[in-house]
């Protein structure tokens, strides 16, 4: 009976050792899978950090070019305002010249030389027909 007890004890210990060995093997396989997953996550994290860095660099470039364009727009706006003032001044001068008696006289005489009627000359010059005929009578 001792040998049966000893044999069953050895069989039980061998079975226990096999279970422990299976547990260690299972633990090792899960550890390998966890290690692979961890390596994948680290690779993804590195890629994400690189993309974040690239986005930050692009954002800095965009902000820099935006500031540059804002400065250019302010400069163009100043130049445009200067041009507006100059054009207003020239327009005022042109209106003054076009209303001067000498200029109106030249317009009327040129119209007569071209063979236009007094009515057509008056319409072109913005005067009344009587004013045009008065100037033509003086010539």
């Amino acid at each position: 009976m001792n040998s049966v007890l000893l044999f069953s004890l050895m069989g039980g210990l061998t079975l226990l050792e096999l279970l422990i060995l299976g547990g260690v093997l299972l633990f090792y396989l899960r550890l390998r899978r966890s290690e692979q997953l961890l390596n994948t996550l680290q690779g993804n994290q590195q890629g994400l950090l690189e993309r974040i860095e690239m986005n930050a660099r692009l954002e800095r470039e965009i902000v820099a070019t935006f500031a540059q364009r804002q400065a250019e727009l302010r400069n163009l706006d100043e130049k445009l305002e200067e041009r507006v003032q100059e054009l207003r001044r020239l327009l005022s001068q042109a209106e003054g010249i076009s209303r001067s008696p000498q200029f109106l006289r030249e317009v009327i005489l040129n119209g007569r030389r071209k063979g236009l009627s007094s009515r057509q000359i008056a319409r072109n010059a913005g005067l009344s027909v009587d004013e045009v005929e008065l100037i033509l009578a003086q010539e």
Side-chain angles (χ1 to χ4, degrees), residues 74-89:
R74 279 192 295 276
N75 187 23
L76 288 174
D77 188 46
E78 289 172 4
K79 288 180 180 178
L80 189 59
E81 283 298 320
E82 290 172 6
R83 290 270 173 106
V84 165
Q85 294 300 324
E86 179 68 17
L87 288 174
R88 283 187 180 147
R89 185 184 64 76

Side-chain angles (χ1 to χ4, degrees), residues 1-6:
M1 185 133 163
N2 272 343
S3 66
V4 172
L5 184 63
L6 187 61

Side-chain angles (χ1 to χ4, degrees), residues 29-134:
L29 291 174
R30 292 184 80 184
L31 183 64
R32 287 282 299 239
R33 198 169 13 161
S34 295
E35 184 181 16
Q36 288 174 349
L37 182 61
L38 184 62
N39 287 337
T40 303
L41 288 174
Q42 284 176 341
N44 289 343
Q45 182 184 20
Q46 186 64 32
L48 180 64
L49 288 174
E50 289 171 0
R51 284 193 302 268
I52 289 173
E53 182 180 326
M54 184 179 69
N55 287 344
R57 185 176 56 246
L58 288 173
E59 184 179 347
R60 284 190 301 270
E61 289 175 9
I62 288 171
V63 167
T65 57
F66 179 75
Q68 180 184 2
R69 294 235 161 73
Q70 287 293 98
E72 289 174 2
L73 284 174
R74 279 192 295 276
N75 187 23
L76 288 174
D77 188 46
E78 289 172 4
K79 288 180 180 178
L80 189 59
E81 283 298 320
E82 290 172 6
R83 290 270 173 106
V84 165
Q85 294 300 324
E86 179 68 17
L87 288 174
R88 283 187 180 147
R89 185 184 64 76
L90 290 174
L91 185 60
S92 175
Q93 280 181 345
E95 286 175 352
I97 290 172
S98 70
R99 286 290 160 209
S100 73
Q102 185 63 30
F103 181 77
L104 289 174
R105 181 183 201 99
E106 289 298 318
V107 168
I108 292 168
L109 294 177
N110 283 338
R112 176 57 78 192
R113 284 187 210 117
K114 290 179 184 177
L116 298 176
S117 68
S118 296
R119 177 163 284 149
Q120 290 172 324
I121 295 170
R123 192 172 352 126
N124 290 345
L127 298 172
S128 68
V129 176
D130 293 335
E131 290 173 314
V132 170
E133 289 177 355
L134 180 65

